Amino acid sequence: MHTRRIGDVEVSSIGLGGMPMSIEGRPDEERSIATIHAAIDAGVTLIDTADAYHRDADEVGHNETLIAKALASHDRGGDVLVATKGGHLRPGDGSWTLDGSPRHLKEACEASLSRLGVEAIGLYQFHRPDHRVPYEESVGAVRDLLDEGKILRAGISNANPDQIRLANEVLGGRLVSVQNQFSPAFRSSEPELRLCDELGIAFLPWSPLGGISRAGELGSAHAPFARIAEKHGVSPQQVCLAWMLAKSPVVVPIPGASRPETIRDSLAAADLVLAEDELAELDAA
């Protein structure tokens, strides 16, 4: 597996997104753990999660707990950087709410530490801006966690360029990652990607294949990805991830998966080299 950097640590150039294993439509625990183990066996050393990745109101942190169990039962689980997030909540009725208050973020981090069973979280990211709380106050809580050694690296998610610059300033230049939505169907995060490239900050596209319900339709929805996939004898999903990797060395896609075969297919994209004319066609698609 090829590697890229998030701050001071090297990780696999493609990570695993844990969300599909814990929300609506999730598989049973056995299949989820098999999926995580398959990812590690294939070279994954980055797994993305969040305390909000759960289905019911009484199971906050379901995905963190699942990942901790899977890592503990794999002989290379200790080599994986777990990136988790705080500041988003799921009341249990299918909706998503926000709490970016410093108090909540610090309490959420403590709870994540406990569920993950670690003394310090490898990468902690502020999940989504809360319009009721000044952004610098939310990021300031993450800075405090970093200074206290509760987290080893700090990131943000769902941020615009101004928020990226502000977060890096509040963190004293220690912002290591930005996790934004980016896919063939959702390209409005191009400015954030370019800024991360300029600043040397890892850019982690979430839902890079279009989301849980649409990932399988990527080829039919975006014909150039299907044509180039057929030419190379690979899946449109592999072409999509290879296209993203070619955009900048700071890009580390985190495709979600809930089946071993799905994550294995995604990870093969790390070895797929697309020609310049193919990349240009995909950019214009």
Side-chain angles (χ1 to χ4, degrees):
M1 173 62 71
H2 302 278
T3 62
R4 296 196 166 185
R5 299 196 70 82
I6 297 180
D8 62 345
V9 66
E10 282 195 359
V11 299
S12 52
S13 60
I14 298 174
L16 168 65
M19 181 175 161
M21 293 180 272
S22 289
I23 65 167
E24 291 79 0
R26 66 193 184 195
D28 59 35
E29 184 176 281
E30 182 179 2
R31 195 177 92 193
S32 292
I33 290 179
T35 300
I36 296 168
H37 285 181
I40 299 172
D41 289 341
V44 161
T45 56
L46 170 66
I47 297 181
D48 175 76
T49 183
D51 60 0
Y53 294 169
H54 61 91
R55 185 185 61 197
D56 304 321
D58 62 350
E59 56 171 24
V60 175
H62 178 278
N63 198 244
E64 292 176 324
T65 302
L66 174 70
I67 287 168
K69 183 174 182 179
L71 296 183
S73 57
H74 194 286
D75 59 0
R76 294 201 304 279
D79 298 333
V80 174
L81 173 66
V82 176
T84 193
K85 300 179 287 294
H88 228 345
L89 301 89
R90 299 202 79 194
D93 59 359
S95 67
W96 296 76
T97 60
L98 299 168
D99 190 344
S101 66
R103 177 178 178 178
H104 171 74
L105 289 171
K106 292 181 180 183
E107 290 175 349
C109 180
E110 292 288 352
S112 292
L113 280 164
S114 177
R115 285 188 291 265
L116 292 171
V118 295
E119 294 183 1
I121 293 171
L123 173 58
Y124 195 72
Q125 302 172 105
F126 176 38
H127 203 152
R128 187 179 286 273
D130 181 350
H131 69 276
R132 301 166 303 177
V133 181
Y135 196 68
E136 59 269 28
E137 291 185 13
S138 299
V139 177
V142 179
R143 177 200 59 215
D144 293 346
L145 293 168
L146 188 60
D147 291 342
E148 293 164 8
K150 300 289 181 68
I151 66 175
L152 301 179
R153 298 165 196 89
I156 54 176
S157 184
N158 301 297
N160 63 37
D162 287 342
Q163 290 166 336
I164 294 172
R165 293 186 182 94
L166 177 56
N168 200 33
E169 180 182 337
V170 171
L171 289 163
R174 294 178 292 173
L175 180 68
V176 301
S177 66
V178 173
Q179 183 173 324
N180 275 20
Q181 185 177 12
F182 186 72
S183 69
F186 190 96
R187 305 193 190 192
S188 62
S189 285
E190 284 272 13
E192 290 82 7
L193 193 164
R194 289 194 296 270
L195 178 58
C196 286
D197 180 76
E198 176 188 326
L199 298 176
I201 295 171
F203 183 85
L204 282 54
W206 62 262
S207 289
L209 303 178
I212 296 170
S213 62
R214 298 184 180 89
E217 304 167 4
L218 191 151
S220 58
H222 304 278
F225 288 84
R227 283 199 302 272
I228 292 172
E230 184 176 5
K231 175 182 173 183
H232 287 270
V234 300
S235 68
Q237 290 77 17
Q238 283 187 41
V239 170
C240 176
L241 295 171
W243 166 67
M244 288 187 181
L245 289 169
K247 283 189 168 292
S248 167
V250 303
V251 174
V252 185
I254 44 172
S258 61
R259 298 176 182 275
E261 57 269 27
T262 305
I263 191 59
R264 290 192 194 103
D265 182 76
S266 290
L267 296 175
D271 294 318
L272 177 60
V273 179
L274 300 175
E276 290 298 322
D277 62 325
E278 293 172 329
L279 294 171
E281 181 181 355
L282 297 175
D283 283 338

